[in-house]
Amino acid sequence: MREFLLLALLALCRARPYEPLSALDFLMSRDMMMLDAVDEDDDNDDDDDDDDDNFLFPPRRFLPLGPPEHECPFACQCSRRVVQCSDLGLKAVPKNIPSDALLIDLQNNKISEIKENDFKGIKNLYALFLVNNKITKIHPQAFRSMDNLQLLYLSYNLMTQIPANLPKNILELRIHDNKINRIQKDAFHGMRSLHVLEMSANPLANNGIDMGAFDGMGALYVRIAEARLTAVPKDLPSSITELHLDYNKIGKVEIEDFIRYKRLRRLGLGFNQIKFVENGSLASTPNLRELHLDNNKLKKVPPGLDLLKYLQVVYLHGNQITSVGVNEFCPARSMKKSPYTGISLFANPLKYWEVQPATFRCVSGRRGVQMGNFRRK
């Protein structure tokens, strides 16, 4: 159950056109998921207590079951410790936010700055939504009392750098579609509980990432798509299991690119300018399950796929591949631990009728391979 909830939330983090969040819908779904989590815990009383500390959702003690707060900022709506101040044209964070608030919704306003005392005394805050404002500056001490903050959404603003002194216990950080062109050293220091880091659609190049920018940070899912990267960043957390670098300007994949990322299970490199993958580059990712290399400039199947025993999905469509060898995907002697469920090769100048049937001997079924003829536009 826990793994399903994590994967479901990760799926929501992919870049997409802006859609307003519904605080009440979010809260209702979270309550249901929390009840499921509690039921599961009741069935596993012998499990270690430390297991909940790494779960995507906080313990039940954070459930917003208290009475509504009488004091509420003007024009906002307050209910069940949820403060909704979205779509009000606010130019600053309102005063008199209840100190016991668990969720504060300030999206779709005109807030340009987060000041030092805007959230002073709000110690139990779980989620803060600041999406779609005009924020350019966040005071270094603005989040100083938020030790319980788990979700921080700062997407669709005008920030040029990562805010300083982010709360250490954040599970999900979204900074999608800002103006960030530099990640300073120790920007995420101490954030070892982070599950999701979404920072796509920022004008970030490789030389804008300071050495040590990700030191002291743990993360499972990292997405830096729609940026200006020309190479795979080498300094991301070694804990990541899912990395998405789609829609960049990466031209090649080299051996040292993934040496640090041995836990990768899903890798997205689609819509780049990759012309070749150096032999041995994928050997550092033995647990890889899904590989996206579609819409690049590859002229042949990347070497080493046959050695990835758990690889199940490979996207290679939209390249310039002209031939496929009989052992490109499947090992010649040993057996794969997991058969392929999907291989896409369509939209390549490939004479598919010349591909030997044995090439796909380790695919789970006939529909697992998508080829088709190459069509010129």
Side-chain angles (χ1 to χ4, degrees), residues 246-261:
D246 316 87
Y247 292 95
N248 277 283
K249 299 179 180 180
I250 299 172
K252 58 184 177 181
V253 176
E254 300 177 306
I255 291 179
E256 62 267 23
D257 284 348
F258 302 112
I259 291 178
R260 181 177 172 84
Y261 314 133

Side-chain angles (χ1 to χ4, degrees), residues 96-160:
N96 303 321
I97 295 178
S99 60
D100 63 346
L102 291 178
L103 187 153
I104 300 176
D105 180 6
L106 288 165
Q107 62 180 329
N108 304 332
N109 283 292
K110 299 179 181 179
I111 300 171
S112 61
E113 180 181 357
I114 304 300
K115 299 178 181 179
E116 179 177 3
N117 295 320
D118 280 347
F119 302 109
K120 184 178 180 180
I122 307 177
K123 298 181 179 180
N124 293 323
L125 192 63
Y126 169 81
L128 177 58
F129 300 159
L130 290 164
V131 177
N132 198 32
N133 277 275
K134 299 181 182 299
I135 299 172
T136 59
K137 181 180 180 181
I138 296 180
H139 192 278
Q141 299 300 319
F143 304 126
R144 64 187 181 280
S145 62
M146 298 184 183
D147 293 335
N148 296 311
L149 189 65
Q150 308 279 289
L151 308 180
L152 178 58
Y153 296 175
L154 292 165
S155 300
Y156 300 97
N157 279 285
L158 301 172
M159 295 182 298
T160 58

Side-chain angles (χ1 to χ4, degrees), residues 6 68-69 83-84 104 116-117 119 145 165 172 176 182 224 254 287 296 314-315 357 376-377:
L6 175 58
E69 185 71 31
V83 181
Q84 288 186 282
I104 300 176
E116 179 177 3
N117 295 320
F119 302 109
S145 62
N165 300 320
E172 182 178 344
H176 177 81
R182 178 172 175 258
I224 314 178
E254 300 177 306
N287 296 311
N296 279 283
V314 183
Y315 289 176
R376 294 184 181 275
K377 295 182 181 180

Side-chain angles (χ1 to χ4, degrees), residues 54-69:
N54 295 323
F55 186 41
L56 191 58
F57 302 98
R60 192 174 184 176
R61 63 178 178 272
F62 289 112
L63 279 174
L65 299 178
E69 185 71 31

